[in-house]
Amino acid sequence: MRVATQWKDYAVIDTSRGEKLERFGNEFYIRPDPQIIWDTPRKNPRWKNVHAHYFRSSNGGGEWKHYQKTAEHQVISYKELRFNIRPTGFKHMGVFPEQAVNWDLLQEMITNSGRTCSVLNLFAYTGGATLACAQAGAEVCHVDASRGIVSWARENAVTSGLEDRPIRWIVDDCIKFVEREIRRGRRYDGIIMDPPSYGRGPNGEVWKLEEQVYSLVQLCRQVLSDRPLFFLLNSYTTGLSPSVMAYLLGSVLSEDFMGEVTADEIGLPVEETGFCLPCGSTAIFHFTDGKNKRSK
C-alpha cells in the first residue's frame, strides 16, 4: 500500500463502526466509510467533540449535523498546493487526501521526463491532480461533467497561485469529450482517470464502473501521443482490485506500447492506532520512452 504520510493540514484521527474521525485544518469531522467494518473502542475524546457529523439516510444520500460553528472559508495545504474545503451534501469535503501519493508520483514523472507534457485529467473533480501536474510544468486539460465542481477546481488553482498555468477547464461528459478529441486528432502524453463507481447519465443511463472501465480505457488509448509518459487509473470500487486494474491496463495498452504496469492500494495513516486505512486503488502504466509499437 502507498500511504499519504506528508499531510500537515489533514489527518485521520481514528476509525470505528463504519466511520472515520478526521481533522481538516483546525476543524474535526466524522464521515462514514464502508471500509471500516471494525467495532473498536472510541477512546479518543474528539469523537464527542467535533464540528460536524455526516449521517447517511436510509433513502440514500444523507445530511450534516453541525455542533460547532465552522469557518466560512477554510483552506488546507499539501506542500505548495492549496485546497478550498467545505462540507457538501454528498459527504465530500472538496479533496481526497489519499490522492496525495498520486500527486507526488505524477509530479516526479513529469519532472523527470525533461519535456513539456500534455495531460488529460478525466473525472477531474476539484483538481488535485490537475494542479499537481500544472505545478510540475505540464499542460493540462481538466474535464468534469459538473459545472460547479469545475468552478471549485478553478478556485483551487487561484488559491494555489496556478491560475496562469496552461490549464483548459472543460465542463463536459468525459466519454463524449474523448470521442471529440479523437475526431479532432488531439493527443496527450499522460492520462489520469478517476471515474465514479456508479452513476446515471443525462438520459437516465446507468453507469457501473466494472462494466464500463475496459471500453473507457480502450477509448482513451486513442488519444495517447506517440511518446506517452503515463496512464493512471484510480478506483474506489471494491470489486476492482489493484491486480485486476493492472491486468486491464496492461492488456489494452501493451497492444500499442512498450512499458510496465504497477498497481497498489492507496491509503491514509490513522493516528490513534498506527494502522493504515485503505482508500481505493491505483494502477499506472509507465510507458517506455521511444518504444511505440504503432510507429513500427
Side-chain angles (χ1 to χ4, degrees), residues 209-245:
L209 182 57
E210 302 96 319
E211 299 173 0
Q212 304 287 343
V213 65
Y214 181 74
S215 59
L216 183 56
V217 172
Q218 284 186 313
L219 182 71
C220 291
R221 179 184 64 180
Q222 299 178 63
V223 294
L224 285 168
S225 70
D226 289 334
R227 292 180 59 211
L229 189 61
F230 60 82
F231 193 123
L232 186 150
L233 172 63
N234 193 75
S235 171
Y236 291 93
T237 303
T238 54
L240 288 178
S241 69
S243 297
V244 168
M245 294 165 59

Side-chain angles (χ1 to χ4, degrees), residues 149-165:
I149 290 296
V150 174
S151 295
W152 195 339
R154 297 187 73 161
E155 181 184 347
N156 287 336
V158 172
T159 306
S160 296
L162 298 171
E163 66 271 26
D164 294 330
R165 298 297 175 99

Side-chain angles (χ1 to χ4, degrees), residues 142-190:
H142 175 110
V143 187
D144 198 282
S146 169
R147 185 172 300 277
I149 290 296
V150 174
S151 295
W152 195 339
R154 297 187 73 161
E155 181 184 347
N156 287 336
V158 172
T159 306
S160 296
L162 298 171
E163 66 271 26
D164 294 330
R165 298 297 175 99
I167 303 173
R168 297 169 61 206
W169 304 100
I170 306 294
V171 179
D172 203 350
D173 176 89
C174 289
I175 294 176
K176 293 179 180 178
F177 177 78
V178 172
E179 290 172 340
R180 285 196 294 273
E181 292 290 84
I182 293 170
R183 294 194 294 269
R184 287 188 284 247
R186 190 183 292 271
R187 299 293 181 261
Y188 297 90
D189 302 310

